[in-house]
Amino acid sequence: DQQVKQNSPSLSVQEGRISILNCDYTNSMFDYFLWYKKYPAEGPTFLISISSIKDKNEDGRFTVFLNKSAKHLSLHIVPSQPGDSAVYFCAAQRGRSSNTGKLIFGQGTTLQVKP
Amino acid sequence: DGGITQSPKYLFRKEGQNVTLSCEQNLNHDAMYWYRQDPGQGLRLIYYSQIVNDFQKGDIAEGYSVSREKKESFPLTVTSAQKNPTAFYLCASSASLSPTMNTEAFFGQGTRLTVV
């Protein structure tokens, strides 16, 4: 039962253009969402997050949008740079009020930004 | 420098042997996690611990065991009962689970375990 899904295994964009990575979730109890970036043979690094009380969070070139009714979030990278090429994981946290702290990850999307 | 350290980076094990992966953090984080990454499957939760001397099974705990005797340390043992142990293992930690705090997890660099 995949509660967090990233349906696009890969994405290729041109340098300078927008990259849009998508993520869907099924559990309405998730109330905190995160994006991580991962290079091969390294641990993921935290990129940006959003609480369920918001619908948008922006940090420099990175913006995350949350559509709770659709149970969908997306990460926008503008402008895309070759150094952004990596695997991007979407993650969701289940019920902060229950303090479980568990992060549930999607399968990842490999982004390639071409010079 | 605060951080989370996994060792070794590469580990080879003979089939039928147990092996323990180390994870240490000096971030004063209460919660620690073990994930496994396989190609095309993202990160799957093996075990997690919210406090010393307590831990919970994740989604794929079978064949693994953990301990949390110290706040800083959360070692993972891959036992001979784990049928497909070859994978990339990631340890993570996060701060106290207060609803008012961000709880993003910080990851170690990972351990690549290969069964030969």
Side-chain angles (χ1 to χ4, degrees), chain A residues 15-74:
Chain A
E15 181 178 6
R17 298 289 188 99
I18 184 171
S19 295
I20 300 176
L21 296 97
N22 293 303
C23 179
D24 297 296
Y25 62 96
T26 58
N27 191 338
S28 57
M29 295 297 293
F30 289 145
D31 59 4
Y32 193 59
F33 303 90
L34 308 90
W35 284 95
Y36 282 83
K37 176 179 178 180
K38 185 182 181 300
Y39 294 114
E42 294 184 9
T45 54
F46 170 72
L47 202 55
I48 192 169
S49 64
I50 188 166
S51 166
S52 59
I53 63 173
K54 296 185 177 181
D55 54 19
K56 177 183 175 181
N57 188 27
E58 189 173 353
D59 183 3
R61 296 186 298 113
F62 303 92
T63 303
V64 56
F65 295 92
L66 175 64
N67 182 335
K68 282 181 291 185
S69 60
K71 294 190 177 69
H72 177 83
L73 65 155
S74 60

Side-chain angles (χ1 to χ4, degrees), chain A residues 2-3 32 34 36 38 40-46 49 87 89 93-94 96-108, chain B residues 9-10 33 35 37 40-43 45 48 50 57 59 88 90 94 97-110:
Chain A
Q2 189 77 27
Q3 297 185 66
Y32 193 59
L34 308 90
Y36 282 83
K38 185 182 181 300
E42 294 184 9
T45 54
F46 170 72
S49 64
V87 178
F89 288 100
Q93 192 164 47
R94 185 185 304 174
R96 185 184 277 185
S97 60
S98 68
N99 283 350
T100 62
K102 287 175 22 174
L103 281 175
I104 309 298
F105 284 85
Q107 307 96 309
Chain B
K9 190 169 178 65
Y10 298 97
Y33 314 82
Y35 288 88
Q37 184 187 14
Q41 295 199 48
L43 304 178
L45 182 64
Y48 67 105
Q50 296 176 260
K57 290 182 178 180
D59 300 317
F88 189 54
L90 287 159
S94 64
L97 298 170
S98 163
T100 61
M101 292 177 62
N102 290 334
T103 54
E104 57 263 26
F106 296 86
F107 283 83
Q109 292 298 295

Side-chain angles (χ1 to χ4, degrees), chain B:
Chain B
D1 281 332
I4 181 165
T5 303
Q6 289 184 243
S7 61
K9 190 169 178 65
Y10 298 97
L11 189 58
F12 295 87
R13 187 196 91 178
K14 289 185 178 179
E15 204 167 331
Q17 288 182 338
N18 292 356
V19 63
T20 297
L21 282 61
S22 169
C23 179
E24 304 278 333
Q25 55 98 0
N26 60 4
L27 299 166
N28 200 34
H29 284 171
D30 285 316
M32 296 187 75
Y33 314 82
W34 274 104
Y35 288 88
R36 167 181 171 145
Q37 184 187 14
D38 295 282
Q41 295 199 48
L43 304 178
R44 293 184 292 167
L45 182 64
I46 304 172
Y47 267 98
Y48 67 105
S49 168
Q50 296 176 260
I51 197 168
V52 175
N53 292 324
D54 184 58
F55 48 84
Q56 309 294 329
K57 290 182 178 180
D59 300 317
I60 54 166
E62 185 176 351
Y64 299 99
S65 66
V66 293
S67 63
R68 187 83 187 280
E69 297 175 2
K70 298 186 300 181
K71 188 176 185 178
E72 303 80 19
S73 180
F74 192 42
L76 173 75
T77 297
V78 184
T79 74
S80 56
Q82 169 51 233
K83 295 179 181 177
N84 296 296
T86 294
F88 189 54
Y89 290 88
L90 287 159
C91 179
S93 69
S94 64
S96 177
L97 298 170
S98 163
T100 61
M101 292 177 62
N102 290 334
T103 54
E104 57 263 26
F106 296 86
F107 283 83
Q109 292 298 295
T111 294
R112 170 73 62 184
L113 172 64
T114 304
V115 175
V116 297

Side-chain angles (χ1 to χ4, degrees), chain A residues 4-24:
Chain A
V4 179
K5 297 180 183 179
Q6 294 175 255
N7 292 316
S8 298
S10 61
L11 175 67
S12 181
V13 300
Q14 207 66 36
E15 181 178 6
R17 298 289 188 99
I18 184 171
S19 295
I20 300 176
L21 296 97
N22 293 303
C23 179
D24 297 296

